[in-house]
Amino acid sequence: MIRTVFLSSTGFDLQPYRDAVYTALSKLEGWRCVRMEDFTAVPDVSPIEYCRTRARSCNLFIGLLGHLYGSVPPGETASFTEQEYDAAGKNRLIFLAPLRFQVPAALLLAQKLKFSKRQAAFRCRAGVLNLVSRADSFDS
């Protein structure tokens, strides 16, 4: 039986960590990682609905939550990552980047203040409701 893991995070700031998690999961027998890098266009399905459906269908959700909120689909109020988290349900494993985690200044400047507050609230909610690692392995 193949079990699936949905890997969710922002890509701009956390790509090396996404790659490391994907590599580790690909070595586990009986597990397959589902991630945005492997998605293709699907006719008549919006990108966010596709992401929610894929997250909901997996056995486990792994969320890497840094300090950037990420992209918000047109017409929506929550980011792709937050909507994937909500769609996944109860089987979630969350890794929170520490407060001292380095984010490139250009990315921070590009992010709107309202998204910074939203990301802080999302990290708090995810940290309270799930098995969370606050490991220093996120240090740069």
Side-chain angles (χ1 to χ4, degrees), residues 24-107:
L25 289 170
S26 68
K27 294 177 183 176
L28 296 175
E29 189 173 329
W31 287 90
R32 186 173 68 81
C33 184
V34 174
R35 61 189 184 141
M36 68 179 170
E37 291 87 342
D38 302 323
F39 292 171
T40 59
V42 178
D44 301 323
V45 177
S46 71
I48 189 57
E49 188 53 43
Y50 182 76
C51 290
R52 287 190 295 242
T53 299
R54 295 300 304 266
R56 196 175 301 118
S57 70
C58 288
N59 301 101
L60 176 66
F61 175 92
I62 293 180
L64 308 179
L65 302 184
H67 300 290
L68 298 180
Y69 190 60
S71 300
V72 175
E76 301 282 339
T77 58
S79 69
F80 278 93
T81 304
E82 188 168 5
Q83 290 192 53
E84 292 163 352
Y85 168 91
D86 288 336
K90 62 182 178 183
N91 295 322
R92 298 183 287 222
L93 179 59
I94 305 300
F95 295 88
L96 295 177
L99 292 177
R100 67 183 177 279
F101 181 73
Q102 297 293 313
V103 178
L107 293 177

Side-chain angles (χ1 to χ4, degrees), residues 4 11-12 18-19 23 32 55 79 81-82 86-87 97 99 103-104 107 111 118 122-123 131 140:
T4 54
F12 290 117
R18 290 178 63 79
D19 293 343
T23 298
R32 186 173 68 81
S79 69
T81 304
E82 188 168 5
D86 288 336
L99 292 177
V103 178
L107 293 177
Q111 182 170 267
R118 221 163 149 137
F122 177 35
R123 284 171 50 91
L131 178 59
S140 316

Side-chain angles (χ1 to χ4, degrees), residues 118-138:
R118 221 163 149 137
Q119 182 65 358
F122 177 35
R123 284 171 50 91
C124 183
R125 180 167 64 103
V128 169
L129 298 176
N130 301 281
L131 178 59
V132 173
S133 171
R134 291 179 177 84
D136 290 335
S137 61
F138 267 95

